[in-house]
Amino acid sequence: MKRITAIAGAALLAAGVAACSGGGDGAATSGAGPSGQTTQAAAGFQEQHKGGTLRLLAKAGDGTLDPHINYSNGQWQIFQALYDGLVSFRKVGGKAAYDIVPDLAEKLPQVGADGKTYTFTLRTGVKFSNGDPVTVDDVVASFQRIFRVSGPTSGTFYSGIVGAAECVKKPAGCTLDKGVVADAAANTVTINLVAPDSEFLQKLALPHAVVLPKGTPAKDQGTTPIPGTGPYKVESYNPNQLMKLVRNPNFTEWSRDAQPQGYPDEIDYNYGLTSEAAVTAVENGQADWIFDPLPADRLTEIGTSYEQQAHVNPLAAFWYIPVNVNLAPFDKLEARQALQWAFDKNALVKMFGGANLAQPACTILPPAFPGHADFCDFPQQDLAKAKQLVQQSGTAGQEVSIVVADDDVSKQIGEYARSVLEQIGYQAKVKVISTNIQFTYIQNSKNKVQLSVSQWYADYPAASNFLNVLLSCASYHPGSDSSINISGFCDKDADAKIAQAMKLDQTDPAASGKLWGEIDRELMQKGPIIPLFNPKQIDFVSKNVGNYQFHAQFHALLDQMWVK
């Protein structure tokens, strides 16, 4: 998933902040308590900490409220408190966050002997925020809707469902009549796959597979709230001003592991403040958490005076430049390979925050991630080689534009890229657009984006979540705002190897991991993506916040924070 979490300057860690959290075995990580003290999450809901308003800040909203369409961490964090699927990742900090637990299903599914049939028994008594009961018909309709709205992962994550291939080709008429089958009398839903999928439950635990009311229109709902089943509902949303979440009056906790009761009575996500003003607001206790980059000139101050309120967490992620392989000049392999040599990754790390907050990326798969191979075919900047490749490609002198979001670090990277592109022989410019539309804008082939700056944060710990999602033919949807294959890269040979690796995942993980590494290397040579660096994240919270927990999948568990 995409997220903007840039930091500029390494002073924070240099000043002594060592609150690295989220990587332990415990159910939670420590944080500043309601009166400044350190607190730990408890196994059950603590009534004495219920109440108050949690005040969140971001420069702008992170796109549509529609969970079947949105593919950004900003909203995915919020969706955890709004919606549920049949299963969920366990809502705790630490390594247990990757555990799959039953959610709207009573228990984990019965899986057929052939590994292709999943039967779920639906819980009874769960209601949507509009008061309607959740039924098996809602489940079926929701899976149909994933395809009818051409969700960004319909052709990847859910392509293995029987009937999905036809639904991808003709979304409007999607029925999945043999793929997702309801039995109202038994209160069960059976999902049939064309082949075993070792990652299927992880995919079902993502927001793109949440259950919505069966009458939800089959088009992007934008700023219109959709009734959900979580402890909160959206009262209003203006992506330039405010998202207001209030308690869902029809919610009763059915599983603390899957969907715990939230602590704040209200969650206000305010948009529009500069990053400088946002930091001041958190320091003064006028706001409680910041989504966007922390400004470089405030990091020393935070690290010395507010270090107990700063939490640093490693991320399975990378910042990268998607290269549009269908537009000149980067429809030429030599031009793409020139870019692999053009950038000084260490300089880019410094822009983000230095070696304590990021490391140069040589591969698409992050270090210590399944399938990662330790190679570096483009180890350092070589402008002479890059310029030579541009000349060989016959594209020297062509105009090139790079589209970036309007946060400080993205703009800085954009200006750096412009300078480098000019040095190797292009006429270059930077196009800066609002953060809340940049991600969808660069996905749509109609906008003819040659280069852009983006980020990818793992949806779940599997190599396919990078290589298959970002670069498979099935992820490329020309003319759509939901085309996560921003490069427009489609290589049938690469697709065949990806399919082979995914199949091997089920029987021989070691062999699969080796193959994923080989695929990564081959894709790097073809140049549809230029990896820049692998980041860490800093969450800065107010002194009014307790029970900070970092979820490996969805990052800070916002609705589990205690507030005064």
Side-chain angles (χ1 to χ4, degrees), residues 8 46 70 85 150 258 263 265 321 332 366 376 407 452 563:
Q46 298 190 53
N70 193 291
S150 296
Y263 282 102
D265 283 338
I321 293 177
K332 303 289 175 110
C376 197
D407 67 273
S452 54
V563 290

Side-chain angles (χ1 to χ4, degrees), residues 424-469:
I424 64 175
Y426 293 116
Q427 299 181 55
K429 63 181 180 180
V430 180
K431 181 176 182 178
V432 180
I433 60 179
S434 174
T435 298
N436 67 337
I437 63 169
Q438 190 255 3
F439 188 49
T440 53
Y441 181 89
I442 64 177
Q443 291 182 71
N444 196 322
S445 60
K446 292 179 180 178
N447 295 323
K448 300 188 181 303
V449 176
Q450 296 163 297
L451 301 174
S452 54
V453 174
S454 195
Q455 315 88 39
W456 189 254
Y457 290 70
D459 297 305
Y460 57 88
S464 65
N465 190 232
F466 281 81
L467 303 182
N468 186 48
V469 172

Side-chain angles (χ1 to χ4, degrees), residues 64 66-71 142-156 158 164-174 208 217-220 443 474-484:
T64 176
D66 197 321
H68 286 167
I69 293 176
N70 193 291
Y71 210 168
S142 294
F143 278 93
Q144 293 170 342
R145 187 177 187 272
I146 292 169
F147 294 91
R148 290 179 180 178
V149 299
S150 296
T153 53
S154 57
T156 51
Y158 312 109
E166 185 64 23
C167 286
V168 170
K169 293 177 184 176
K170 300 178 180 178
C174 179
H208 287 163
K219 62 180 180 179
D220 187 351
Q443 291 182 71
S475 289
Y476 179 45
H477 306 289
S480 169
D481 284 350
S482 300
S483 183
I484 199 63

Side-chain angles (χ1 to χ4, degrees), residues 226-298:
I226 303 172
T229 47
Y232 296 89
K233 64 176 184 177
V234 178
E235 184 174 273
S236 62
Y237 177 51
N238 180 325
N240 294 310
Q241 296 179 1
L242 171 71
M243 182 195 299
K244 183 182 290 291
L245 273 60
V246 297
R247 289 195 181 275
N248 171 5
N250 293 296
F251 177 81
T252 301
E253 183 180 286
W254 59 80
S255 168
R256 185 141 192 86
D257 284 340
Q259 187 57 282
Q261 176 65 273
Y263 282 102
D265 283 338
E266 184 175 309
I267 300 175
D268 289 351
Y269 214 146
N270 285 277
Y271 308 122
L273 284 184
T274 66
S275 57
E276 290 279 355
V279 169
T280 299
V282 171
E283 289 179 349
N284 293 339
Q286 298 168 323
D288 300 308
W289 178 81
I290 303 170
F291 177 78
D292 291 301
L294 301 180
D297 62 352
R298 304 297 289 274

